[in-house]
Amino acid sequence: MTATLDFQAAALGLQAQRAKVLASNIANADTPNYQARDFDFSVALAQAAQATAHSPTEPVRTHPAHLSGTGTTAPAPVLQYRQPLQPSLDGNSVDLDTERAAFAENSVRYEASLRFLNGQIKTMLTAINGQ
Amino acid sequence: MSLFKIFDVSSSAIAAQSQRLNVVASNLANAESIAGPDGQPYKARQVVFQTQSLGADPAAAGVKVAQVVQDDTPARRIHDPSNPMADADGMVTMPNVNPVEEMVNMISASRSYQTNVDVMNTAKSLLQKVLQLGT
């Protein structure tokens, strides 16, 4: 019944992960030799959606009365290095404007995923209440 | 919850930037100190930032101040025979603090500080929205 929520939940998890990567880039904007990183969101989301659809992982059951769950583990997104637009002398490849823009965009997308999720939950609650 | 890690990352950056600001303040305050406790003119100090991994997660990279180094640029020397610290030629050795460089450093540190506070605020408001999920 909650399978429709899985896609938005996976997107939410990846957006939180991306926010963390971008926050690390912003935090290290002045660190010598730090290389800015990011991952391809669409590839990561496709992988996560495939993982939830096709390869459910079975939890270990030590008793016959235990339920067989269908938890899934999506592979962690592959971190890549950003191509610096304007390389700096100290070897740091963080462009603060790019990172801030990406962080703001990611935050809006995170909020959008939350709203979709909220809408789906509301729809389900309406069906449950039957009013 | 992945978003909580952002607080660790950004707060490490804020701590590092405030230490940098502290060093700038001490350099500017001592820009004219011709004699320190050891009798030598003050030497400018600079912080060295280093990436600090937070836990096993490769995605979360914080910052720390690896060390505070002394600036080894040659000291400024001015001609002032009336100064009690003047040598036989009437030259006084001044600290090697470059006020222009320090001001640029200060602006850069304060901008980075603000950006990291913004990141933390965004993460906080997103987490608050997560708490309201389904209500």
Side-chain angles (χ1 to χ4, degrees):
Chain A
M1 193 176 78
T2 55
T4 49
L5 301 180
D6 282 353
F7 181 75
Q8 297 298 344
L12 214 53
L14 282 174
Q15 275 147 355
Q17 178 84 2
R18 181 148 189 251
K20 196 166 59 181
V21 175
L22 295 173
S24 300
N25 288 347
I26 292 173
N28 283 287
D30 296 319
T31 311
N33 295 318
Y34 178 84
Q35 304 285 312
R37 291 177 306 175
D38 201 353
F39 60 83
D40 190 334
F41 188 80
S42 58
V43 171
L45 186 59
Q47 273 177 354
Q50 216 169 25
T52 42
H54 295 303
S55 59
T57 47
E58 285 280 317
V60 179
R61 289 156 75 192
T62 53
H63 192 273
H66 283 170
L67 297 173
S68 64
T70 50
T72 48
T73 46
V78 183
L79 286 178
Q80 290 167 317
Y81 293 105
R82 219 189 268 297
Q83 287 287 342
L85 289 169
Q86 303 172 80
S88 61
L89 271 178
D90 64 354
N92 184 301
S93 69
V94 178
D95 183 2
L96 205 53
D97 303 316
T98 312
E99 303 301 336
R100 284 199 67 156
F103 189 82
E105 186 210 315
N106 189 60
S107 305
V108 174
R109 287 184 191 277
Y110 188 89
E111 229 182 299
S113 291
L114 268 182
R115 286 200 190 184
F116 284 131
L117 206 54
N118 226 347
Q120 286 174 357
I121 292 171
K122 288 243 169 73
T123 309
M124 227 174 266
L125 282 177
T126 312
I128 292 168
N129 286 332
Q131 287 165 359
Chain B
M1 201 57 207
S2 192
L3 276 179
F4 277 113
K5 207 83 184 168
I6 291 180
F7 290 104
D8 296 343
V9 172
S10 292
S11 68
S12 77
I14 286 175
Q17 295 294 350
S18 81
Q19 193 171 346
R20 181 181 175 197
L21 211 53
N22 236 323
V23 168
V24 169
S26 120
N27 284 349
L28 282 175
N30 285 291
E32 308 286 333
S33 302
I34 37 179
D38 54 353
Q40 295 297 310
Y42 177 86
K43 286 237 178 185
R45 285 153 174 77
Q46 308 290 346
V47 292
V48 179
F49 285 165
Q50 201 178 49
T51 306
Q52 175 191 33
S53 63
L54 300 166
D57 191 357
V63 199
K64 67 172 179 192
V65 175
Q67 53 177 330
V68 181
V69 293
Q70 273 198 357
D71 198 338
D72 276 332
T73 48
R76 201 156 37 100
R77 285 173 62 80
I78 55 167
H79 186 67
D80 183 10
S82 64
N83 196 305
M85 299 296 286
D87 60 10
D89 302 327
M91 300 297 282
V92 182
T93 308
M94 301 294 285
N96 58 353
V97 176
N98 184 342
V100 178
E101 230 171 69
E102 298 301 333
M103 290 306 280
V104 171
N105 233 334
M106 182 188 83
I107 294 167
S108 170
S110 105
R111 286 282 174 272
S112 296
Y113 193 102
Q114 284 172 18
T115 311
N116 281 293
V117 171
D118 281 353
V119 168
M120 266 171 128
N121 267 333
T122 308
K124 183 184 157 206
S125 71
L126 286 180
L127 278 171
Q128 275 171 344
K129 287 188 176 109
V130 172
L131 286 178
Q132 289 165 4
L133 194 64
T135 58

